[in-house]
Amino acid sequence: MSKILGIICEYNPLHNGHLYHIEESKKIVNPDFTVCIMSGQFTQRGDTALFDKWARAEMALRSGVDLVIELPLIYSISSAENFSRGAINILDSLKGDITLSFGSECGDLKTLENISNVLIKEPPEYTSILKHELSKGVSFPKARENAVLMYLNDIRRYANILSSPNNILGIEYIKALKTLKSKINYMTIKRSFVEYNSTKTSENFASATAIRELITSNKDISKYVPKISYNVIQNRLKYGQFVPSIKSFEKEILYKLRTMELSDIVNIADITEGLEFKIQKAAQSCNTLDELTEMIKSKRYTQTRINRILLYLLFSITKQDMENSRKYLPYLRILGTTENGKKLLADVAKSKKAPPLVISVKKFMEENKNKFYQELLKKDILATNIYTLAYEKNSKANLDYTKKLITI
């Protein structure tokens, strides 16, 4: 049975901290294959990836990864829970001796497991505390953090665990693994050097957030990213093929909102509690996304949650689409492979139980008649078609059909 190291990532872009995580994980697992489940053109925080999925797949393959599988759009821009469940389902379908390695701020697997157990079982005392916290009008993430702290009653150990992004994803990975009764092993590597989202730098390390800011400010990033990442980035910058943020689609989003009926808005994923009225009213008077989000955000609806909803609106992702994404296994859309990765790909292709492989989008769309997979892939194609609109030049459509599999 093949030993597989699995990593769930965005690599936006792949930097020295990511390379450290890949290399440390490989030292521990000593895998036959290293597989990344990677977000496509848009990310879990409701924003754009700075560079397209093929650029980031190449960075990964040249940094020690054997196979890059795209996490479909509907999962990659979902809540941490659905993001994790979609990625774990893909990893679990590979079949083998699989170990998931993820970074976390705390680096303590037992602490993350303890919290995940509470969130899975939802004991009555915890549920009661959560309801009380929500009644105060705070956001769900904050109410959940407060409830977990009070339930576990160990502030020294659990303080700030649920306010740290990588810890949250780690907990959701563990939840998904346990809920799905997966046999995947898992481990965590402590995030060192700089914090997630920090704009500070430390010697040769900087967060992806800091690096994106440096790139968009035309500042040197060479010491913070591996040489291969630097080369790919410079190539994309040279040809104007990058998308700084969701604000690049400001007018497209406002146009979409102004042309939607209220009945259409209310069917969009994650729109509840009459939010459709606030969105429609704001869209009629705002010129920018900043103005729009300022008018509709609240304690319940954080900036990140609103950004995700705006992407759901842009791509017409409905409540039914989201429900279907939780019912069915995603396909395996291959973005790139090494020669070694082709061996694993061949094994997956032979498996009768694995979800369908997508290597040629054209062939898959012609031959696969499964409605869920058809709709899932249409959203990915649409995501790329909209994404390239923000390029300075060469804003071509249908790249999912014309881009060849990246082979290293």
Side-chain angles (χ1 to χ4, degrees), residues 200-234:
K200 296 179 181 178
T201 59
S202 174
E203 296 181 4
N204 294 328
F205 292 90
S207 71
T209 301
I211 292 168
R212 291 194 297 273
E213 287 190 6
L214 290 170
I215 290 171
T216 53
S217 302
N218 294 315
K219 294 181 179 176
D220 183 36
I221 59 160
S222 57
K223 71 176 185 176
Y224 304 120
V225 298
K227 186 176 179 180
I228 179 54
S229 289
Y230 184 77
N231 291 341
V232 173
I233 288 167
Q234 291 305 114

Side-chain angles (χ1 to χ4, degrees), residues 56-319:
R56 289 177 290 117
E58 183 180 350
M59 294 178 199
L61 292 169
R62 294 190 184 278
S63 299
V65 172
D66 294 302
L67 193 66
V68 180
I69 303 173
E70 180 180 1
L71 181 64
L73 175 77
I74 200 167
Y75 302 100
S76 70
I77 62 173
S78 280
S79 66
E81 183 176 38
N82 205 40
F83 174 94
S84 301
R85 191 180 182 90
I88 294 298
N89 268 323
I90 290 174
L91 194 59
D92 204 27
S93 68
L94 296 179
K95 309 304 177 188
D97 181 9
I98 306 171
T99 299
L100 169 68
S101 175
F102 59 87
S104 64
E105 286 85 359
C106 72
D108 184 346
L109 202 59
K110 190 62 181 175
T111 294
L112 301 178
E113 286 178 326
N114 290 346
I115 294 175
S116 73
N117 287 335
V118 173
L119 299 181
I120 291 170
K121 296 173 183 175
E122 294 189 328
E125 186 182 345
Y126 161 77
T127 304
S128 176
I129 299 170
L130 178 62
K131 286 179 180 177
H132 177 70
E133 290 299 305
L134 285 170
S135 70
K136 297 178 182 179
V138 299
S139 68
F140 180 80
K142 189 62 183 176
R144 185 175 71 165
E145 181 183 5
N146 293 344
V148 166
L149 276 174
M150 285 185 266
Y151 177 78
L152 292 173
N153 196 26
D154 189 344
I155 293 177
R156 179 176 293 181
R157 182 171 189 176
Y158 298 107
N160 300 318
I161 297 296
L162 274 169
S163 58
S164 301
N166 288 285
N167 287 343
I168 292 171
L169 280 175
I171 290 165
E172 291 298 341
Y173 296 150
I174 296 170
K175 276 177 59 185
L177 289 165
K178 292 186 174 185
T179 304
L180 296 168
K181 295 181 171 55
S182 171
K183 293 181 180 179
I184 292 177
N185 304 303
Y186 53 93
M187 55 178 273
T188 188
I189 291 179
K190 183 176 174 62
R191 185 185 177 98
S192 304
F193 313 114
V194 290
E195 294 180 3
Y196 180 89
N197 265 348
S198 171
T199 55
K200 296 179 181 178
T201 59
S202 174
E203 296 181 4
N204 294 328
F205 292 90
S207 71
T209 301
I211 292 168
R212 291 194 297 273
E213 287 190 6
L214 290 170
I215 290 171
T216 53
S217 302
N218 294 315
K219 294 181 179 176
D220 183 36
I221 59 160
S222 57
K223 71 176 185 176
Y224 304 120
V225 298
K227 186 176 179 180
I228 179 54
S229 289
Y230 184 77
N231 291 341
V232 173
I233 288 167
Q234 291 305 114
N235 179 268
R236 289 300 195 273
L237 292 176
K238 179 181 177 181
Y239 293 103
Q241 295 178 341
F242 63 97
V243 183
S245 75
I246 189 177
K247 291 180 184 178
S248 301
F249 305 105
E250 195 164 63
K251 296 306 179 186
E252 287 86 348
I253 291 171
L254 288 171
Y255 167 79
K256 186 74 182 281
L257 290 178
R258 289 187 180 189
T259 56
M260 290 179 77
E261 298 292 337
L262 192 66
S263 57
D264 295 323
I265 297 175
V266 78
N267 283 326
I268 293 297
D270 205 22
I271 289 183
T272 58
E273 302 171 328
L275 185 66
E276 65 274 13
F277 296 104
K278 292 182 73 174
I279 289 175
Q280 189 180 61
K281 183 179 179 181
Q284 303 304 323
S285 59
C286 294
N287 288 319
T288 68
L289 287 191
D290 285 341
E291 291 175 3
L292 184 75
T293 54
E294 191 61 36
M295 284 188 71
I296 61 180
K297 73 180 181 182
S298 64
K299 289 181 180 179
R300 289 281 179 94
Y301 288 91
T302 61
Q303 180 74 57
T304 298
R305 188 176 176 187
I306 290 171
N307 280 358
R308 284 202 293 266
I309 289 172
L310 292 178
L311 290 180
Y312 298 156
L313 285 157
L314 182 61
F315 299 117
S316 300
I317 294 175
T318 65
K319 291 180 171 72

